Amino acid sequence: MPSDSALRIVWIYPDLLSTYGDQGNVLVLEQRAQRRGIETETIHVRSADPVPETGDIYLIGGGEDRPQILAAGRLRKDGGLHRAVARGASLLAVCAGYQIMGSTFGGEEGQPVDGIGLLDISSARGPARAVGELVAEVDAALNIPTLTGFENHMGVTRLGPGVKPLSKTIVGTGNGDGFEGCYAGHVVGTYLHGPALARNPGLADLLLSWRVGDLAPPRRHPLRGPPPRTPHHGPPAATLTQQDTPSPARAPRRLQLRRPRLRRPRPRDLRLCRLRLCRLRLCRLRLRRPRRAAEGLCSHSLASLPSPYPFRPGSRLREPGRWLFPG
């Protein structure tokens, strides 16, 4: 059930406009708020549902040409986003959502399509697609660090007198006129993907501060361990009991490498080794004697040999384990 005290984050048309991980902006806002003790409540508004007017921060992402045209038509008919911004809600519009916030934008064939007129901008198709990393220096009035992100669009956006440039482009294309994005009141439009709030947490904190006020430093993430201890951390020394007294630090153990002990050979092992050597020598002697005899037989004439033993000159006849001699 919705809670009146919770910060309501509204994600508009995730079924139409949610490319390049723009839904990560919702997760970043949730985490940045919860780490400051602020309860959050996320509402996903699909294209068939009306946009609620009671949200605190509204997010809309990028998309292709046809979903962009469809989303613009439904937002014009609904009117809930206009009433929410007029009530003081914050809004972050990315890429296609940024173009929808203006008066016109380029359609599939470059034809002008009506936007919702929430920002004093107009967009059209550019000569080439802008793809790559984008770095921009933010307006000093916003007091946030340099913005970085990824852009992939063919839009050229012209700013009217009712808006201010969000940042000045250092690397990348942005609006196409040396600036990137724009803002007016609590509404921010940008071409940054990444997601934008994941790569620029200062921008996320800016959206939160517009609704919550001054923000306390975020608590340390539980997976990163406790914060570092300060000299005055913990109870006073006078209240420490014997059990609470920290034990003195122990010196780290040094790894001692021991040489392996060489076992002396036993008398029985020596006898076995000698016996095996003797057997090996006898085997070699037995093998030499038949070889010499066979060589002597092969030197005689073949006529003196019986027919069952077809010796050839210089050849040897052998069966497994013994030599053959004419008998």
Side-chain angles (χ1 to χ4, degrees):
M1 295 296 293
S3 174
D4 296 336
S5 61
L7 182 74
R8 306 188 72 178
I9 302 173
V10 182
W11 177 234
I12 302 175
Y13 298 169
D15 53 339
L16 295 178
L17 303 176
S18 181
T19 57
Y20 304 111
D22 289 333
Q23 190 175 0
N25 294 326
V26 180
L27 303 178
V28 172
L29 277 178
E30 291 177 350
Q31 290 296 322
R32 301 291 292 183
Q34 291 173 5
R35 287 171 61 183
R36 290 178 169 90
I38 303 172
E39 295 183 3
T40 60
E41 189 176 311
T42 304
I43 303 172
H44 292 253
V45 180
R46 303 184 69 83
S47 57
D49 302 330
V51 178
E53 305 175 16
T54 58
D56 295 303
I57 300 177
Y58 291 79
L59 300 171
I60 184 168
E64 303 296 333
D65 293 334
R66 289 186 180 180
Q68 182 185 18
I69 296 173
L70 181 60
R74 297 193 176 186
L75 286 175
R76 283 197 308 270
K77 294 179 181 179
D78 183 80
L81 186 58
H82 280 82
R83 293 187 289 271
V85 172
R87 193 178 54 84
S90 302
L91 169 64
L92 174 66
V94 177
C95 200
Y98 170 39
Q99 296 179 356
I100 290 174
M101 298 300 115
S103 57
T104 58
F105 62 91
E108 292 179 289
E109 304 298 332
Q111 76 279 12
V113 180
D114 293 336
I116 65 174
L118 200 57
L119 290 173
D120 186 13
I121 62 173
S122 61
S123 303
R125 275 185 173 270
R129 177 171 289 275
V131 181
E133 288 292 314
L134 194 150
V135 181
E137 193 70 30
V138 188
D139 186 0
L142 298 178
N143 194 24
I144 58 176
T146 302
L147 296 179
T148 66
F150 178 81
E151 62 176 345
N152 185 0
H153 63 92
M154 287 191 66
V156 175
T157 302
R158 297 177 178 85
L159 308 184
V163 296
K164 296 180 180 180
L166 176 64
S167 56
K168 185 177 181 180
T169 305
I170 301 175
V171 178
T173 304
N175 297 337
D177 58 353
F179 296 99
E180 201 290 311
C182 72
Y183 72 99
H186 293 173
V187 180
V188 177
T190 179
Y191 279 111
L192 293 175
H193 294 286
L197 299 185
R199 297 183 61 168
N200 306 280
L203 184 58
D205 292 345
L206 178 66
L207 296 173
L208 290 172
S209 64
W210 282 344
R211 293 301 298 165
V212 180
D214 295 336
L215 297 175
R219 292 179 297 184
R220 196 173 181 86
H221 196 277
L223 296 181
R224 298 180 181 175
R229 293 176 62 92
T230 60
H232 302 287
H233 184 77
T239 60
L240 288 176
T241 62
Q242 187 176 2
Q243 296 179 355
D244 298 332
T245 305
S247 59
R250 296 181 179 179
R253 289 186 176 182
R254 296 182 60 183
L255 183 62
Q256 297 179 355
L257 299 178
R258 296 181 179 179
R259 294 182 180 180
R261 294 182 179 180
L262 298 178
R263 186 175 61 87
R264 293 183 179 182
R266 299 177 181 178
R268 180 175 176 277
D269 298 338
L270 291 176
R271 289 195 299 269
L272 289 176
C273 290
R274 292 171 184 171
L275 183 60
R276 289 172 183 171
L277 286 174
C278 293
R279 289 179 180 176
L280 183 60
R281 290 174 183 174
L282 289 175
C283 291
R284 289 180 178 177
L285 291 174
R286 290 176 183 175
L287 290 175
R288 288 176 183 175
R289 291 174 183 174
R291 186 182 303 173
R292 292 174 182 174
E295 291 175 354
L297 289 174
C298 292
S299 62
H300 296 288
S301 63
L302 294 177
S304 62
L305 296 177
S307 58
Y309 302 96
F311 274 82
R312 297 180 181 177
S315 65
R316 302 167 186 171
L317 292 180
R318 184 185 179 188
E319 286 183 356
R322 68 186 184 90
W323 290 87
L324 295 179
F325 301 99

